[in-house]
Structures are given as structure tokens and as C-alpha cells.
Amino acid sequence: LGLLIYMYQMEPPLTVRPHARHVAAICDMTWVYDHTRPFNDPTSPPNREFLRQLRGWRKVLSGEMGFYDYYGHWGALGPWPIVHKIREDLPAFREEGGTFVTFEVAPNFGMQGLNAYVAARLSWDVEADVDLLLEDYYTRFYGPAAEAMRRFWGLAEQTMALLAPGP
């Protein structure tokens, strides 16, 4: 049985324990937690709270635990530049005992497909070199415009990473 740790069910249970066959996925909700930084970034108060909840669930679950995130943003029609977050989140989640990933994407591949590509490749091999994945994407997806798009995404990622912490 799969459990979704989401919305008003983020707090780990205090007295009951999920069955050993239960699996759960904890959701890094964009409207609650900080997507300008990785979920384990201690400079972000919302992400400190998410990490506390994640660790609490990991203690009570004997089954597998997943990470659910929004790598395509339904509310943003333009860029959602969070590769800097994804590259750290997925290895960090594995270190926390996580075993699988579920990510949601919007039908906006031109502006948000880079996130899905990097997340899919890291889901397959969490130790993959993200810089090489980016180079592969720019070259294969953009062809002759690769250099211009590399600069575009670099600036977008830098801008997102420099925003004040928060949802």
C-alpha cells in the first residue's frame, strides 16, 4: 500500500507505525517548502522543517520511502530553473535512506524539460555527473543554439539560487 505524505499529513505518526509492506512518498510541496535551495540546506527555515519531517517518517517506516517533487511547475509557464536543487536533492535523499523518486512535470518541456531530463537521469544513476548531463542536453536538444541556451539556463539557475529563501 502506498502512502503519500502530503499537505496536512506531513507530520510523522506519534503512536502508530505503518505496516512493513507500506511504502510512502514525501512531497516537497512548492507552496510550502523552499525550491530556491536543496531540501537539506540549513539556511532555509522551510527546508529545515521538511528535513525534520522526512527524518521522522524515515524512523517510523520499515518499508521503502520515496521523494515526490515538482520538477515542472504547473503555475509557472516560463522557466523553473531548479537543476541546482535537483543535483543535490536526489543524492541527499538517498543518503537519508530514500529508495525511489516520483516527480511531477507540466506540459511545458521547452521551458521546464531540463529539470525532467536531469531528474530522470539522476533517478537512474544518482552519482551521474550533472555537468556532463547538462552538456549532453544542451548539445542534443538545442543543436546550434547550445551555447546561447547554456548561458540562458546558467543565468536562470543563478537568479533562482540567489533569491531569498522561501516558497
Side-chain angles (χ1 to χ4, degrees):
L1 177 63
L3 307 172
L4 180 58
I5 304 166
Y6 187 78
M7 294 290 291
Y8 303 109
Q9 295 83 29
M10 294 299 291
E11 287 299 321
L14 298 175
T15 58
V16 298
R17 294 294 177 255
H19 189 276
R21 291 188 182 161
H22 285 148
V23 298
I26 190 167
C27 186
D28 190 4
M29 298 168 289
T30 59
W31 58 96
V32 177
Y33 306 108
D34 179 4
H35 278 63
T36 66
R37 286 153 181 72
F39 74 77
N40 62 355
D41 186 325
T43 68
S44 173
N47 288 1
R48 285 196 307 266
E49 178 64 9
F50 178 80
L51 184 57
R52 181 193 66 75
Q53 292 165 333
L54 184 157
R55 287 177 173 163
W57 275 98
R58 187 67 254 155
K59 286 179 185 174
V60 301
L61 281 169
S62 57
E64 297 194 26
M65 184 165 183
F67 184 66
Y68 185 112
D69 206 344
Y70 296 88
Y71 294 155
H73 198 304
W74 76 100
L77 298 178
W80 180 235
I82 59 169
V83 168
H84 65 283
K85 174 180 169 36
I86 296 167
R87 77 164 57 221
E88 296 195 34
D89 276 359
L90 296 184
F93 185 68
R94 184 180 71 173
E95 289 174 15
E96 293 290 338
T99 56
F100 67 94
V101 176
T102 301
F103 50 90
E104 187 171 318
V105 296
N108 187 2
F109 195 83
M111 286 283 98
Q112 299 176 4
L114 180 59
N115 296 338
Y117 178 76
V118 170
R121 296 290 302 267
L122 283 177
S123 296
W124 188 258
D125 176 9
V126 76
E127 296 176 8
D129 184 328
V130 174
D131 293 327
L132 291 177
L133 296 178
L134 292 172
E135 193 57 38
D136 180 58
Y137 184 87
Y138 297 143
T139 302
R140 293 173 53 182
F141 190 72
Y142 296 117
E147 184 54 39
M149 295 310 293
R150 184 182 297 105
R151 287 192 309 269
F152 169 80
W153 285 113
L155 181 59
E157 287 282 334
Q158 180 182 16
T159 301
M160 182 72 145
L162 292 175
L163 290 174

